Amino acid sequence: MALLKILVFPDPRLRTLAEPIMDFDDSLKKLSEDMLETMYEGSGIGLAATQVNVHKRIIVVDISEEKNSPLILVNPTLKKIINPEKKSYSEGCLSVPGFYEELLRPSSVEINAYDVNGDEVNIVTEGLLSVVIQHEMDHLDGKMMVDFISNIKREMIRKKLLKSKA
Ligand code: QAP
Ligand code: CO
């Protein structure tokens, strides 16, 4: 296992469109383990490969209190909006450290994806899990939570994060 470096907004590499994964091999398993380790180390509940500068379509999520329920989704796609009624959640992001924003998203979605072995999974989800999966899937398309807030807020966050850069 290894800790990966997390890109921080406004790093332009966070805008990269991730490529579909074709090979379900040992390197994919290693990447998913390293991503989980990196997420847990940062006290995160979700991480997309984009955030660790790997531009492949894989996300990891664990919303459990005990941090013992990892979910690894490869090539995730939105299959259906089950309930389009938008719910507000306070969202954070390991690539936007220290900032939380209330965002609206469809409250229930169905996701199609593959596990690390290449087996297809369909997930109908609502609540926090649904929000985190939608947030992480956005990263794979180069989209970030700061894209949904006002220009003035985004600019404030951009300046603060650039200043705190090591
Ligand atoms: C996405 O984000 C998410 O600012 C995952 O200082 C989170 O794991 C979607 C984190 C909440 C919806 C609701 C953020 C850790 C972790 C920070 C995360 C920080 C330390 C964010
Ligand atoms: Co994020």
Side-chain angles (χ1 to χ4, degrees), residues 7-99:
L7 301 177
V8 173
F9 178 75
D11 192 308
R13 291 170 292 184
L14 286 164
R15 299 312 188 171
T16 311
L17 176 65
E19 298 284 348
I21 287 169
M22 298 300 190
D23 300 315
F24 293 82
D25 54 14
D26 284 356
S27 75
L28 182 64
K29 293 196 176 70
K30 162 120 175 75
L31 172 62
S32 66
E33 283 164 14
D34 291 347
M35 284 175 63
L36 280 168
E37 188 186 0
T38 303
M39 178 185 77
Y40 289 134
E41 166 73 18
S43 302
I45 56 176
L47 184 72
T50 307
Q51 294 176 270
V52 292
N53 202 28
V54 174
H55 302 291
K56 296 181 187 165
R57 304 191 76 84
I58 177 172
I59 66 174
V60 297
V61 176
D62 189 345
I63 62 160
S64 73
E65 207 70 66
E66 309 79 16
K67 298 289 160 207
N68 60 2
S69 305
L71 181 63
I72 300 165
L73 298 177
V74 176
N75 299 340
T77 57
L78 177 66
K79 198 169 179 191
K80 196 173 174 202
I81 294 176
I82 304 281
N83 185 351
E85 196 183 314
K86 295 203 168 145
K87 260 201 85 179
S88 171
Y89 267 89
S90 174
E91 297 190 23
C93 181
L94 285 166
S95 295
V96 191
F99 296 92

Side-chain angles (χ1 to χ4, degrees), residues 81 115 123 135 141 143-144 154:
I81 294 176
D115 67 16
I123 303 172
H135 172 118
D141 292 326
K143 233 184 292 167
M144 297 188 72
R154 183 169 55 254

